Amino acid sequence: MITFNVGPSKVYPELEIFLQNAYNEGILSMAHRGVAFGEMMKKTLALLSQKLNIPPNYTIVFASSATECWEIIPQSLTQERTYHIFNGAFGEKWWKYASNIHLKTEKIALDISEILNLEKVQTFLTFTERRGGKIQVLDEHELICLTHNETSNGSKIPNKTIEDVFNNYPKQLIAYDCTSSMAGVALPWNFGDVWYASVQKCFGLPAGLAIMVLSPRAIARMKERNDRKHYNSLLPMYENIQKYQTTHTPNVLGIYLLMRVLEKLPNIVETEQMVQTRAKAYYNAVIANKRLELLVSHQEMRSDTVIAIKTTPENLTEMKYITKKEGIEIGNGYDIWKENTFRIANFPALDVEEVEKMTRILQFF
Ligand SMILES: *Cc1c(COP(=O)(O)O)cnc(C)c1O
């Protein structure tokens, strides 16, 4: 069965060998404070920077999941509140977790048919400021939360918006959930402060590891906040990674597999080209097909890595039947879109033949 599920998703086929190697090389019993682990960690961090073009002044730490990052960010980087702007279920979940940490957390839910641009962000932030009765601009100790790629509905935030928001809010930190886009597209690191992802989507790896990338401004804020209260407070995570260690026994196997996969991957610019070419073929196939429709109407909001397709419930049943017969598993619609949409992962681990097969199905459905 070929899985086009959006997570957990298809893993790189080389994992069969990498897992065997891990067993033979004693990775599964490796001491996480030992020299060998430190070397592996150092190499993995260097590979991440090199392959994903992460700026040298940014810091990388590991967590267990994107969900954990949802908590770490409000906990360790903000004083009173975070500001959430989203149009789907993952963005909303982040807000829910954050609002359990800070009561004053603010949110706005946009419709899937809206374009997320600077104006939308400004209107929301100005509104919350006025309601808070503040005379001065937005509290400079706070943080704006955005979902770079909304996996639930196949929408993304355009690069132009990312740049505009960064340039207009120079005092606030800006955090991006890029769980289903990191390692699939080239992220504009310099226009954001916190970028994080789990590895079971675009990295083509099994779940249980998350990568968090932090700007120098985020590190400065973290030091200023000085939060050490939690097992996953960012400051001890940061201090440990300086020594190529972690606060607790990490997912050593996950880190090893990440290192092995990164070694064989091309630079992200090359991967992005492939992903975008494939996305275009999928989108064109859907647009040309009268029985199918794209869930995201504005072209600039359409994700490169998750394709969400709308159809009738009857057509959906037929689509599932056809794909299953072809040995393909597609992703179900999420949440309110369960009955009339399906999702296709456009993740790099899927190979040429698989992508061509899927494109043909969309074309001739
Ligand atoms: C999958 C996903 C998550 C959750 O990842 P976990 O590893 O299960 O915590 C969070 N955000 C987005 C955008 C996702 O796609």
Side-chain angles (χ1 to χ4, degrees), residues 6-8 64-70 90-91 93 147-152 177-181 196-201 207-210 306 343 347:
V6 293
S64 303
S65 66
T67 305
E68 190 188 0
C69 298
W70 284 340
F90 285 102
K93 279 190 193 170
T147 305
H148 179 254
N149 198 73
E150 181 48 79
T151 320
S152 70
D177 179 347
C178 18
T179 301
S180 54
S181 51
Y196 62 89
S198 303
V199 298
Q200 75 272 23
K201 314 249 165 122
L209 184 70
V306 176
R343 292 172 299 164
F347 297 162

Side-chain angles (χ1 to χ4, degrees), residues 23-237:
Y23 184 85
N24 295 339
E25 290 169 25
I27 302 294
L28 304 184
S29 314
M30 193 181 221
H32 69 293
R33 306 267 176 228
V35 176
F37 176 81
E39 276 164 12
M40 181 174 90
M41 179 63 102
K42 189 176 176 180
K43 190 169 170 192
T44 309
L45 295 173
L47 280 164
L48 274 169
S49 304
Q50 182 203 332
K51 296 295 171 95
L52 301 183
N53 297 342
I54 299 171
N57 57 346
Y58 275 50
T59 304
I60 304 166
V61 295
F62 289 109
S64 303
S65 66
T67 305
E68 190 188 0
C69 298
W70 284 340
E71 282 200 346
I72 292 173
I73 292 163
Q75 239 170 227
S76 289
L77 292 173
T78 64
Q79 218 161 335
E80 283 203 310
R81 59 166 75 77
T82 41
Y83 296 84
H84 299 252
I85 304 152
F86 54 82
N87 71 2
F90 285 102
E92 185 176 13
K93 279 190 193 170
W94 187 4
W95 161 74
K96 274 196 184 140
Y97 281 98
S99 61
N100 287 337
I101 292 168
H102 297 308
L103 286 173
K104 293 177 183 169
T105 292
E106 298 278 359
K107 63 148 178 173
I108 187 166
L110 301 179
D111 193 83
I112 179 77
S113 62
E114 289 180 81
I115 296 178
L116 208 177
N117 54 21
L118 176 64
E119 209 188 319
K120 294 266 161 59
V121 177
Q122 280 173 327
T123 308
F124 163 59
L125 293 174
T126 311
F127 172 76
T128 57
E129 254 170 49
R130 292 211 178 119
R131 198 181 48 186
K134 282 194 207 156
I135 312 146
Q136 87 275 34
V137 280
L138 204 63
D139 190 332
E140 60 187 63
H141 298 293
E142 300 309 349
L143 182 143
I144 302 168
C145 298
L146 293 157
T147 305
H148 179 254
N149 198 73
E150 181 48 79
T151 320
S152 70
N153 59 28
S155 67
K156 71 168 180 191
I157 300 181
N159 277 346
K160 168 86 168 61
T161 306
I162 296 174
E163 290 179 26
D164 287 350
V165 172
F166 184 84
N167 291 330
N168 274 269
Y169 294 97
K171 287 183 178 161
Q172 289 72 35
L173 296 184
I174 306 160
Y176 285 97
D177 179 347
C178 18
T179 301
S180 54
S181 51
M182 189 188 289
V185 297
L187 295 168
W189 306 105
N190 284 314
F191 294 101
D193 300 290
V194 185
W195 306 83
Y196 62 89
S198 303
V199 298
Q200 75 272 23
K201 314 249 165 122
C202 286
F203 283 93
L205 286 163
L209 184 70
I211 294 155
M212 213 174 175
V213 180
L214 301 150
S215 74
R217 301 196 316 168
I219 297 299
R221 171 80 69 83
M222 172 200 78
K223 289 180 177 165
E224 177 198 314
R225 294 280 306 125
N226 197 32
D227 162 46
R228 292 178 184 277
K229 278 202 299 261
H230 308 274
Y231 88 94
N232 56 5
S233 289
L234 201 50
L235 193 51
M237 283 169 81

Side-chain angles (χ1 to χ4, degrees), residues 193-326:
D193 300 290
V194 185
W195 306 83
Y196 62 89
S198 303
V199 298
Q200 75 272 23
K201 314 249 165 122
C202 286
F203 283 93
L205 286 163
L209 184 70
I211 294 155
M212 213 174 175
V213 180
L214 301 150
S215 74
R217 301 196 316 168
I219 297 299
R221 171 80 69 83
M222 172 200 78
K223 289 180 177 165
E224 177 198 314
R225 294 280 306 125
N226 197 32
D227 162 46
R228 292 178 184 277
K229 278 202 299 261
H230 308 274
Y231 88 94
N232 56 5
S233 289
L234 201 50
L235 193 51
M237 283 169 81
Y238 170 80
E239 287 165 352
N240 271 280
I241 207 76
Q242 303 305 309
K243 301 175 283 179
Y244 303 110
Q245 287 188 8
T246 49
T247 48
H248 55 278
T249 321
N251 182 349
V252 179
L253 176 61
I255 296 168
Y256 172 82
L257 295 175
L258 173 64
M259 176 186 78
R260 294 295 305 270
V261 161
L262 285 168
E263 274 174 337
K264 68 159 204 109
L265 285 183
N267 185 270
I268 188 65
V269 173
E270 202 178 305
T271 305
E272 180 180 64
Q273 268 167 10
M274 175 187 81
V275 164
Q276 287 179 342
T277 305
R278 291 173 172 188
K280 208 179 221 170
Y282 285 138
Y283 283 129
N284 286 342
V286 175
I287 289 165
N289 191 323
K290 287 199 171 60
R291 295 171 75 192
L292 303 173
E293 198 187 324
L294 292 169
L295 180 59
V296 181
S297 45
H298 290 289
Q299 198 230 323
E300 62 266 55
M301 290 293 290
R302 283 178 201 149
S303 164
D304 297 303
T305 50
V306 176
I307 320 291
I309 302 161
K310 211 159 101 178
T311 187
T312 63
E314 297 74 38
N315 282 342
L316 184 57
T317 308
E318 194 185 327
M319 176 57 82
K320 280 187 184 159
Y321 176 77
I322 290 172
T323 45
K324 200 171 168 194
K325 234 177 46 189
E326 293 276 342

